[in-house]
Each structure stands twice: as structure tokens, then as C-alpha cells.
């Protein structure tokens, strides 16, 4: 009980502020699914020029017209179908602020998601007074379509979040299961979060004409531009118009709008080159770990690997930290997560260092 308890929402007592792990002596940051720096320097020049042209004394364009036009050109969406945010994190929060009406006779609105998945769906739901409901992924970390359908019938969610490729498991949800989910969702909004789609094939935005309740979430964070904090939501125009009412008018800074628009129009070839290089590294690291023995890998379509360690993940994680390499361990969740690590693909030198330490872990058993 603190001085502020009478004022604070009760949900906050179950939440903790997000603080990334920062042990000292880390040289290789392979924990946050960031891309390695762009090698050519051209992206940096494009961003610098865009920032230089920005009028610093003016507020940003509240309608983000240039940025939306650049996203529209890149994706085939119409600007009216787009909402831009300070990363997809903000868009998740905006959606949950707007779509929070409890169903008839229910005390709270419900949001449905698989588990394990990106934590912000659950955290942001709680922070908005919405009840998060989680359905475990199946044994191969794919969507349990039957379980999701039962949860939809019983819990009547307003929103269903599905990341594909999924974080932390790296795999795409199979198309057939996603179709089952979309058909069962009724009037609930199904948000397919494509944060990692640049590493994992075709976007599902083309499905929107068939499923009007489908919304697509995207971000620039995973392709080497996490510092900009720019994401977008692509959905039915009528929904976007309503949800836009709860957005802060100047939510994306003018410098980020300008930089993101410039990268999308002038620098996308470089971004894609870098994505290709990361995919190649991903396969090299995956092959090396598979042949080392002691690790099982889920086929990844993202810029990270979901690694099952024979040894407890906590021990492997500790060994990596001692060697200056930070990854994400999920051992604290227990159960089938006690042997799981999520390893971001970094620059080749970081990946080499990782492989060296991991292969030593196996031979030292
Ligand atoms: N969605 C998924 C599936 C993610 O893994 C992440 C980042 N960890 C995000 C969204 C957040 O992205 P942003 O930086 O755009 O807020």
C-alpha cells in the first residue's frame, strides 16, 4: 500500500515498468531483435538530409501526409487506410484505447492472443483495463486454431493479436490456421502483427479484401531503423477513422516522419540488401548450431532464432553473458520455456562470437 494506491488502477500492481536487461561488459547485443548497422552509410546520409530539411520550430504534420504517401507507395495501401505511430507499441495502445467497449453483460473488454508471443499485447491490455486471454501455441509453436476458436466463442474478444512471424518463436503462422481464425473471429478485429515480415515472405495485407476484420501492423524497427520509432497500422478505412480520434495529434515527431518517408522512398533498396544479408547470416548460424548438436531450432522467418537448449537455458544464458553476449532467455517462465533462448542475428562478427561460445558450451558438457 503506497501513498498513491487509492488513485492508481489496480492492474498496475501486477505490472512492472519495462527495463531491458543490461549486465555490464556486453559487447554483442543479440537480445532485442534489432538489425546490425547498415554497412554502406547511405541510409545514414538519407536520414541526415531529411532531418536537416525539417523545420524545427514547427509542429509535425498531424496527418503525416508525406509519410503515409511513402508507406502507401511501398505497400499498396491507400493513405486513408493507414495510421502511423511511434512504433507499433504506440499503435497497439491506440487500438486498445479505442476498442475497449465491454461486450453486453461483460464487465471488461477482452483481448485474445496466443502464448508465447510479443508481451505488449498483454501488458497494454492490462494497462487499459482490458482482460487479456492467452491460448498456448501448439507443440510446434504454431497457432492452436481450435483453442483460439473456443476462446473466441467463450470470451467474445474485441481484438485478437497474432504476430506472424511470431516473436519469440520466429515462425510464421500457417495460412490455413489463420484463415480458420479469421472466419471464426466474427466482428472481432484480428490484428496480424508483421513486425518481422521483411525477413519472412509476403505480407497478408492482400487478404484484407477477403477479410474486412483483418488489420496489419508493421514497423521499421526491425530493419535497422529502431531509433526512428515509426510503425503503421493498415486496416479498414472506417475503423482507421474512428481509432484516429484517440491518437495524440503530433504523435510521430517531424524528424522521424521525414526520415522514415525518405528511407521508404530513397533507401529501400539498401534496407532490402541488409535484410538479405541478415537472412543469409541467419541460415549460417542455424546450420552451425544444428550441426553442433545440443540445440533444436524452430525454422525461423524472422531476424532471430528460437533455440531449444539441452542444458537449462539459464545456464547457457549465464555463459553467454560472461562472454559479453546478451540474448533473451525465457527460463523464468518455466515449463517448456525453461530450455528456450531467443537469439537475434547480428553482424557477422557478433554471430561468430556467439557460435564460438555456444559450441564450446556443448563440447564442455
Ligand atoms: N511487434 C512485435 C511482434 C515485436 O516483436 C516488436 C518488438 N519487439 C514490436 C511489435 C514493437 O515494435 P516497435 O519498435 O515498432 O514498437
Amino acid at each position: 500500500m503506497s501513498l498513491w494506491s487509492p488513485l492508481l488502477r489496480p492492474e498496475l500492481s501486477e505490472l512492472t515498468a519495462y527495463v531491458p536487461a543490461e549486465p555490464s561488459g556486453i559487447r554483442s547485443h543479440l537480445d532485442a531483435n534489432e538489425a546490425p548497422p547498415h554497412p554502406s552509410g547511405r541510409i545514414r546520409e538519407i536520414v541526415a538530409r531529411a532531418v536537416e530539411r525539417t523545420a524545427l520550430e514547427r509542429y509535425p504534420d498531424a496527418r503525416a501526409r508525406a509519410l503515409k504517401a511513402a508507406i502507401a507507395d511501398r505497400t499498396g495501401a491507400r493513405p486513408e487506410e493507414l495510421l502511423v505511430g511511434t512504433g507499433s507499441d504506440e499503435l497497439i495502445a491506440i487500438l486498445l484505447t479505442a476498442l475497449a467497449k465491454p461486450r453486453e453483460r461483460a464487465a471488461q473488454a477482452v483481448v485474445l492472443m496466443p502464448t508465447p508471443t510479443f508481451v505488449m499485447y498483454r501488458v497494454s491490455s492490462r494497462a487499459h483495463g482490458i482482460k487479456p486471454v492467452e491460448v498456448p501455441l501448439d507443440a510446434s509453436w504454431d497457432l492452436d486454431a481450435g483453442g483460439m476458436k473456443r476462446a473466441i466463442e467463450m470470451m467474445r474478444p474485441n481484438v485478437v493479436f497474432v504476430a506472424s512471424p511470431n516473436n519469440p518463436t520466429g515462425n510464421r503462422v500457417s495460412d490455413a490456421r489463420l484463415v480458420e481464425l479469421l472466419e471464426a473471429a466474427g466482428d472481432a478485429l484480428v490484428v496480424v502483427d508483421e513486425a518481422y515480415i521483411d525477413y519472412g515472405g509476403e505480407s497478408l495485407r492482400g487478404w484484407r479484401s477477403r477479410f474486412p476484420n483483418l488489420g496489419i501492423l508493421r514497423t521499421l524497427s526491425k530493419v535497422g531503423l529502431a531509433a526512428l520509432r515509426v510503425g503503421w497500422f493498415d486496416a479498414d478505412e472506417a475503423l482507421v477513422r474512428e481509432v484516429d480520434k484517440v491518437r495524440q495529434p503530433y504523435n510521430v515527431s517531424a524528424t522521424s516522419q521525414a526520415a522514415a518517408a525518405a528511407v521508404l522512398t530513397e533507401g529501400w533498396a539498401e534496407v532490402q540488401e541488409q535484410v538479405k544479408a541478415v537472412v543469409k547470416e541467419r541460415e549460417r548460424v542455424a546450420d552451425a548450431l544444428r550441426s553442433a548438436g545440443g540445440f533444436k531450432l524452430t525454422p525461423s522467418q524472422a531476424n532471430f532464432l528460437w533455440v531449444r537448449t539441452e542444458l537449462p537455458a539459464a545456464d547457457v544464458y549465464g555463459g553467454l553473458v560472461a562472454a559479453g553476449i546478451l540474448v533473451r532467455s525465457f527460463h523464468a517462465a518455466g515449463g517448456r520455456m525453461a530450455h528456450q533462448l531467443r537469439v537475434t542475428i547480428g553482424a557477422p562478427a557478433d554471430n561468430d562470437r556467439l557460435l564460438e561460445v555456444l559450441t564450446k558450451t556443448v563440447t564442455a558438457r
Side-chain angles (χ1 to χ4, degrees):
M1 199 61 182
S2 83
L3 182 61
W4 305 108
S5 301
L7 309 182
L8 289 165
R9 313 169 72 124
E11 296 89 348
L12 298 190
S13 65
E14 292 159 38
L15 296 175
T16 42
Y18 180 75
V19 185
E22 275 182 49
S24 58
I26 296 299
R27 286 193 296 160
S28 298
H29 289 269
L30 304 178
D31 60 316
N33 297 343
E34 297 147 326
H38 286 278
S40 81
R42 208 175 105 72
I43 296 285
R44 180 167 282 278
E45 282 165 26
I46 291 170
V47 169
R49 256 185 280 131
V51 170
E52 211 192 355
R53 285 194 302 263
T54 304
L56 295 179
E57 69 289 353
R58 309 286 302 265
Y59 280 108
D61 176 9
R63 287 183 280 175
R65 281 165 293 192
L67 175 54
K68 282 186 188 169
I71 296 168
D73 268 359
R74 201 41 69 211
T75 62
R78 283 180 297 112
E80 304 75 47
E81 297 172 305
L82 295 171
L83 201 65
V84 295
T86 295
S88 12
D89 286 349
E90 189 197 20
L91 292 163
I92 293 166
I94 288 175
L95 286 170
L96 295 178
T97 307
L99 294 162
K101 182 175 168 184
R103 299 277 188 182
E104 218 180 321
R105 291 187 303 281
Q108 269 183 309
V110 169
V111 164
L112 179 66
M113 67 209 74
T115 182
T117 192
F118 182 43
V119 291
M120 285 310 288
Y121 312 142
R122 175 169 47 80
V123 171
S124 207
S125 295
R126 296 225 60 131
H128 285 82
I130 293 173
K131 182 183 170 67
V133 172
E134 301 180 305
V135 174
L137 292 172
D138 75 7
S140 50
W141 309 106
D142 200 353
L143 204 65
D144 172 2
M148 295 291 280
K149 281 202 277 192
R150 280 192 294 282
I152 288 169
E153 273 166 35
M154 282 171 55
M155 306 303 299
R156 296 179 296 153
N158 289 17
V159 184
V160 184
F161 282 103
V162 176
S164 182
N166 185 42
N167 171 13
T169 58
N171 53 331
R172 263 182 93 119
V173 175
S174 57
D175 284 357
R177 295 185 189 194
L178 214 43
V179 168
E180 266 187 77
L181 174 72
L182 283 158
E183 282 171 349
D187 64 356
L189 170 69
V190 177
V191 177
V192 174
D193 181 345
E194 296 189 332
Y196 300 97
I197 195 64
D198 297 278
Y199 298 96
E202 281 265 316
S203 166
L204 294 184
R205 81 160 306 279
W207 288 22
R208 286 208 23 245
S209 47
R210 189 170 150 209
F211 299 107
N213 59 337
L214 169 63
I216 303 283
L217 203 53
R218 297 278 301 264
T219 178
L220 293 181
S221 295
K222 309 302 172 184
V223 292
L225 297 159
L228 299 184
R229 304 300 295 125
V230 169
W232 66 89
F233 177 63
D234 170 352
D236 177 49
E237 192 180 330
L239 173 67
V240 166
R241 211 167 30 238
E242 288 306 311
V243 172
D244 202 30
K245 295 176 184 172
V246 303
R247 179 181 61 84
Q248 303 289 324
Y250 306 119
N251 63 327
V252 181
S253 79
T255 47
S256 283
Q257 288 190 32
V263 172
L264 282 161
T265 39
E266 301 164 42
W268 205 242
E270 271 83 7
V271 167
Q272 288 310 306
E273 239 170 69
Q274 164 84 331
V275 164
K276 251 193 235 157
V278 169
V279 167
K280 212 163 142 207
E281 277 294 284
R282 176 185 80 200
E283 296 312 310
R284 177 177 79 88
V285 175
D287 287 348
L289 287 180
R290 282 198 188 97
S291 51
F295 304 105
K296 276 206 188 110
L297 276 77
T298 304
S300 170
Q301 301 204 273
N303 67 336
F304 56 87
L305 295 170
W306 184 231
V307 182
R308 182 166 195 79
T309 57
E310 232 165 62
L311 297 171
D315 298 353
V316 182
Y317 172 84
L320 286 167
V321 168
I325 303 167
L326 189 61
V327 300
R328 276 290 297 277
S329 175
F330 289 75
H331 65 266
R336 64 175 171 166
M337 305 289 274
H339 288 259
Q340 292 291 158
L341 294 179
R342 191 193 72 192
V343 180
T344 304
I345 299 299
D350 295 310
N351 303 334
D352 284 343
R353 206 173 294 142
L354 171 94
L355 283 175
E356 195 187 318
V357 179
L358 280 183
T359 27
K360 266 196 208 137
T361 320
V362 181
T363 42
R365 274 181 306 165

